[in-house]
Amino acid sequence: GESVGLHLPTLSVQEGDNSIINCAYSNSASDYFIWYKQESGKGPQFIIDIRSNMDKRQGQRVTVLLNKTVKHLSLQIAATQPGDSAVYFCAENNSGYALNFGKGTSLLVTP
Amino acid sequence: DAGVIQSPRHEVTEMGQEVTLRCKPISGHNSLFWYRQTMMRGLELLIYFNNNVPIDDSGMPEDRFSAKMPNASFSTLKIQPSEPRDSAVYFCASSTGTGAALNEKLFFGSGTQLSVL
């Protein structure tokens, strides 16, 4: 979920397991959501997006679920690999140009 | 495609000095964004341009910050004078979106790590 204070929430999973990263968004009028992956020393990298008229979207090894009733977004990563270790951000679009990013969740994949 | 290119990767300067960060967006992208990332505040939008024109600079923290986009392939973010609290990672991002899709599938550069001593 979203971070509190200075420390990012951390999800630790074993290689090969499935990962689920959660995000609570703030604005019920948001109509577009994105997940980004940020590796150390790099910029955020687009993973997958979903519009508010959908509740599920699948990509390669990733699935995003949207629950508008409780304003919740999740990212599922199948068969997590060491290269998936990174900080994951959800972002919502409710103003047309200013993405509102969450504080991020750190995913650590252990062998 | 080389992606969004930012320079320098790292900048260390002393308080009071002028700092200029540079960005080359992806060719053909007509929207450009400057973001700042800190542990305390996360990713914050500073300013965005559409077709080289600044559309919204309400995220620029103070008059010490200014941004320009003289052409479709180049943008600068300038801080003058710099202060220690400006220390952060500054990202440039670009997209092909327009209107309601303006910031869909933003492509980010690798960022400039700025340290103001």
Side-chain angles (χ1 to χ4, degrees):
Chain A
E2 296 301 308
S3 65
V4 175
L6 297 176
H7 302 287
L8 290 176
T10 299
L11 175 65
S12 184
V13 299
Q14 280 201 315
E15 182 178 356
D17 288 351
N18 297 332
S19 304
I20 300 177
I21 301 171
N22 297 304
C23 176
Y25 63 93
S26 58
N27 192 332
S28 58
S30 294
D31 57 6
Y32 178 71
F33 305 87
I34 313 175
W35 280 99
Y36 279 91
K37 170 187 179 184
Q38 186 174 22
E39 297 173 274
S40 180
K42 297 184 179 180
Q45 176 187 2
F46 172 87
I47 302 174
I48 191 168
D49 57 359
I50 188 169
R51 297 190 183 281
S52 59
N53 61 355
M54 304 172 67
D55 53 21
K56 180 179 180 179
R57 191 171 186 211
Q58 289 185 294
Q60 186 176 11
R61 281 202 308 119
V62 295
T63 301
V64 56
L65 299 177
L66 175 62
N67 185 330
K68 294 180 288 294
T69 302
V70 295
K71 294 189 287 187
H72 183 268
L73 197 65
S74 69
L75 177 71
Q76 300 178 1
I77 304 174
T80 313
Q81 303 168 359
D84 295 326
S85 293
V87 177
Y88 289 80
F89 296 93
C90 65
E92 60 182 309
N93 176 11
N94 54 35
S95 65
Y97 58 83
L99 282 177
N100 181 26
F101 282 86
K103 293 292 192 295
T105 295
S106 178
L107 176 66
L108 176 64
V109 182
T110 58
Chain B
D1 191 337
V4 176
I5 300 173
Q6 291 187 246
S7 64
R9 285 300 312 274
H10 303 276
E11 177 78 35
V12 180
T13 190
E14 293 187 343
M15 182 174 63
Q17 296 299 306
E18 177 180 297
V19 174
T20 300
L21 311 181
R22 297 172 175 80
C23 174
K24 177 177 168 41
I26 294 173
S27 177
H29 284 197
N30 56 3
S31 297
L32 184 140
F33 303 77
W34 282 99
Y35 279 85
R36 177 171 68 175
Q37 186 176 39
T38 61
M39 281 299 294
M40 284 291 291
R41 302 174 68 91
L43 275 161
E44 302 174 280
L45 177 65
L46 300 178
I47 185 171
Y48 88 92
F49 295 82
N50 186 244
N51 293 324
N52 311 339
V53 176
I55 304 299
D56 188 343
D57 64 354
S58 60
M60 297 285 260
E62 302 173 29
D63 290 345
R64 298 183 296 106
F65 286 69
S66 63
K68 295 182 179 179
M69 192 165 185
N71 56 62
S73 59
F74 185 66
S75 177
T76 60
L77 177 67
K78 185 178 293 186
I79 308 173
Q80 166 62 20
S82 58
E83 296 182 3
R85 60 194 168 117
D86 301 330
S87 297
V89 181
Y90 291 81
F91 288 104
C92 176
S94 69
S95 77
T96 58
T98 56
L102 188 64
N103 55 21
E104 293 189 7
K105 295 185 178 64
L106 281 185
F107 289 86
F108 283 80
S110 296
T112 295
Q113 173 76 61
L114 174 64
S115 297
V116 183
L117 307 178

